[in-house]
Amino acid sequence: MVKQTAGRDALHEFAPKFAELNDDILFGEVWSREEQLPLRTRSIVTITALISKGIVDSALTYHLSSARANGVTRTEMAEILTHLAFYAGWPNAWAAFRMAEEVYAGDGEQEQHGGFFGLGKPNTAFAQYFTGSSYLKPLTDPKETVFLANVTFEPGCRNHWHIHHAKSGGGQILICVDGEGWYQEDGKPAQSLKPGDVVTIPAGVKHWHGAKANCWFSHLAVECPGEDTSNEWLEPVTDNSYDQLSRN
């Protein structure tokens, strides 16, 4: 959960206690109880409450944006608001739809991305390890076989530096299927990726991968079997180093 500062930014001088309760208790403690209720569900509950009370101002815009970031898709949001219209009032729903259209503007275009395997859903479970938005579409069940998934990056999105560890075997294979992206190992030049390119990543190698600045990018990620495998997430790829690549 991202640390909230809106209360202090807006009301620190006028109402410091309210600002503290808003930032530290409501968002710092209540919203952070993700094991008891996931962020996605909390977003839906909050939006429902706001619209039911006729609150269709900047607060709703904020929570619509949060819902999108927490994995509520454009199609799901349209259905939520349609359902709410019958319980919270038609005018409230109309007002909410106008705001939701702005928040989700362009999301309909995402359906064309992801290549042959499709876009999948927002990669919220690993969002903290990505700069920008990504999407995940699992293609196999890791409980039954090797895990294979289609990962899609919005333009400019990349994952953090990371290492696939294993006592033996392990590592990862990337098979590029759509758009253009980058792959880079620590201490080596970045490699430009296009559909058809295959990258073999041995265990123990620090690296990152993602989309180019102005292009969507998708690759299949194959988790190679190994003994005592794990993934170590490290620091983000800095904007400066990424921008240097984008100018190439």
Side-chain angles (χ1 to χ4, degrees):
M1 183 71 191
V2 177
K3 181 175 175 59
Q4 178 63 262
T5 63
R8 289 182 172 87
D9 292 343
L11 294 170
H12 176 64
E13 293 185 5
F14 185 77
K17 188 61 180 181
F18 178 88
E20 175 191 337
L21 294 171
N22 182 84
D23 296 350
D24 299 343
I25 305 302
L26 174 58
F27 287 97
E29 295 185 15
V30 177
W31 274 84
S32 66
R33 291 164 55 81
E34 296 181 46
E35 292 186 4
Q36 289 78 14
L37 192 68
L39 290 175
R40 184 179 186 279
T41 306
R42 290 183 186 274
S43 285
I44 293 173
V45 171
T46 304
I47 287 168
T48 300
L50 291 175
I51 296 173
S52 297
K53 293 177 69 66
I55 301 175
V56 286
D57 55 13
S58 59
L60 179 59
T61 300
Y62 171 82
H63 284 288
L64 286 168
S65 298
S66 294
R68 180 180 180 273
N70 291 334
V72 180
T73 67
R74 181 175 183 267
T75 300
E76 288 173 331
M77 183 56 68
E79 187 64 22
I80 289 168
L81 298 184
T82 299
H83 187 84
L84 275 175
F86 290 90
Y87 293 91
W90 216 253
N92 289 348
W94 265 109
F97 267 119
R98 294 189 184 97
M99 303 173 83
E101 277 190 309
E102 294 182 4
V103 170
Y104 284 86
D107 279 19
E109 300 173 2
Q110 294 171 352
E111 297 175 1
Q112 63 184 300
H113 300 291
F116 179 81
F117 296 96
L119 184 65
K121 295 183 178 181
N123 191 14
T124 54
F126 293 91
Q128 62 183 311
Y129 305 121
F130 283 71
T131 299
S133 298
S134 66
Y135 303 84
L136 183 67
K137 186 170 185 180
L139 302 175
T140 60
D141 185 347
K143 296 179 181 179
E144 297 178 353
T145 184
V146 173
F147 183 56
L148 174 65
N150 191 35
V151 185
T152 298
F153 303 77
E154 289 190 358
C157 176
R158 65 273 187 186
N159 52 31
H160 294 188
W161 289 98
H162 57 287
I163 301 172
H164 303 291
H165 293 289
K167 184 175 181 181
S168 63
Q172 188 179 56
I173 297 173
L174 308 180
I175 303 172
C176 307
V177 296
D178 189 57
E180 296 187 26
W182 295 109
Y183 169 77
Q184 185 174 24
E185 295 182 0
D186 190 27
K188 297 183 179 181
Q191 177 184 344
S192 178
L193 300 177
K194 295 182 179 180
D197 290 338
V198 177
V199 179
T200 301
I201 308 169
V205 173
K206 182 179 178 180
H207 65 284
W208 69 270
H209 36 102
K212 292 188 175 180
N214 298 308
C215 187
W216 287 72
F217 177 60
S218 297
H219 64 59
L220 299 182
V222 184
E223 300 297 329
C224 301
E227 183 181 359
D228 294 334
T229 59
S230 63
N231 196 46
E232 179 184 7
W233 290 102
L234 304 168
E235 72 276 10
V237 178
T238 65
D239 290 340
N240 182 59
S241 61
Y242 179 80
D243 291 343
Q244 290 289 331
L245 295 176
S246 300
R247 286 194 283 271
N248 293 340

